[in-house]
Amino acid sequence: MDEMLRLSAMPITREATCDTELLGHRIPKGTVVLLLSNGPSFLSPSFEIPESKRSKTSQATRVRQWNEAEDMRAYRPERWLARGEDGEVRFDATAGPQLAFGLGQRGCSGRRLAYTKMRIVLTLMLWEFELLAVPPSLSSYAAKDGLAHTPRQCFIRLGKVKY
Ligand code: HEM
């Protein structure tokens, strides 16, 4: 689920409530800052940023990076898995940057409900069907961004699971 969301996240916005500075750039009060959760660091390698340009809080609480040597646009759920000290492989929600639900006080308040609904829909679907490959001409991540990130191609090809 998180890998699906990582690949289809919407940019989020924040309006500066006072004059401030971001990575050495002056941001006047009232500026709308877009956080591109579908750009560098997420779907392509991050920009090189001198540590001294970061704020003290950013330096103290750095988010882990995705492995940027890999194809960051590829659907690869394994990037969210990590082996613990006990040898078990588990989902690691902090494996890399993810902003699909935003963050902080104005982060998505329907996040838990969204995960619950996605779990129910996916479980019911995978109980009955297997997901077969969709022809490449019908399976791009093309989307229309408005209030939501709406896919242009939302097709699945199902095979009935035989028990
Ligand atoms: C996969 C499903 C969903 C995604 C990806 C999603 C994503 C987002 C994002 C990116 C934001 C902006 C967060 C920010 O600016 O930091 C947001 C805000 C919000 N979402 Fe969702 N959302 C989803 C489902 C839901 C559901 C099911 C509900 C309610 C039942 C919901 C209610 C809200 C509300 C009320 C806000 C505004 C929060 C605020 O401004 O204080 N969302 N959502």
Side-chain angles (χ1 to χ4, degrees):
M1 290 189 299
D2 272 280
E3 184 65 348
M4 285 194 292
L5 291 165
R6 188 185 71 85
L7 289 166
S8 52
M10 279 277 288
I12 62 170
T13 58
R14 291 291 183 268
E15 186 176 326
T17 54
C18 59
D19 291 343
T20 187
E21 198 183 289
L22 276 180
L23 303 175
H25 299 281
R26 196 174 68 83
I27 309 287
K29 178 179 175 178
T31 306
V32 174
V33 179
L34 274 95
L35 297 102
L36 301 178
S37 41
N38 52 3
S41 301
F42 296 87
L43 302 184
S44 56
S46 49
F47 296 124
E48 265 190 42
I49 295 168
E51 201 58 19
S52 60
K53 296 259 187 223
R54 295 184 183 276
S55 65
K56 291 270 177 291
T57 45
S58 166
Q59 289 179 20
T61 54
R62 291 294 291 283
V63 173
R64 279 155 62 198
Q65 286 188 314
W66 294 117
N67 179 351
E68 300 192 345
E70 290 181 349
D71 180 359
M72 297 168 76
R73 285 184 185 271
Y75 176 76
R76 227 180 56 79
E78 308 80 45
R79 65 176 94 238
W80 292 89
L81 302 180
R83 194 174 292 281
E85 284 172 9
D86 58 2
E88 288 289 313
V89 174
R90 293 193 182 86
F91 170 71
D92 177 2
T94 65
Q98 166 82 306
L99 264 184
F101 290 99
L103 271 180
Q105 287 182 342
R106 303 310 300 262
C108 176
S109 39
R111 182 170 176 232
R112 283 168 186 270
L113 179 63
Y115 276 118
T116 303
K117 287 170 78 172
M118 281 190 290
R119 277 197 187 93
I120 292 171
V121 170
L122 279 171
T123 305
L124 288 175
M125 194 165 70
L126 296 175
W127 233 328
E128 297 284 342
F129 302 103
E130 58 176 323
L131 298 173
L132 304 173
V134 173
S137 60
L138 296 177
S139 76
S140 78
Y141 282 104
K144 187 167 179 269
D145 282 334
L147 274 181
H149 184 78
T150 316
R152 288 184 189 272
Q153 295 189 318
C154 194
F155 302 107
I156 50 175
R157 200 169 136 238
L158 300 174
K160 188 90 173 88
V161 170
K162 295 184 188 73
Y163 288 107

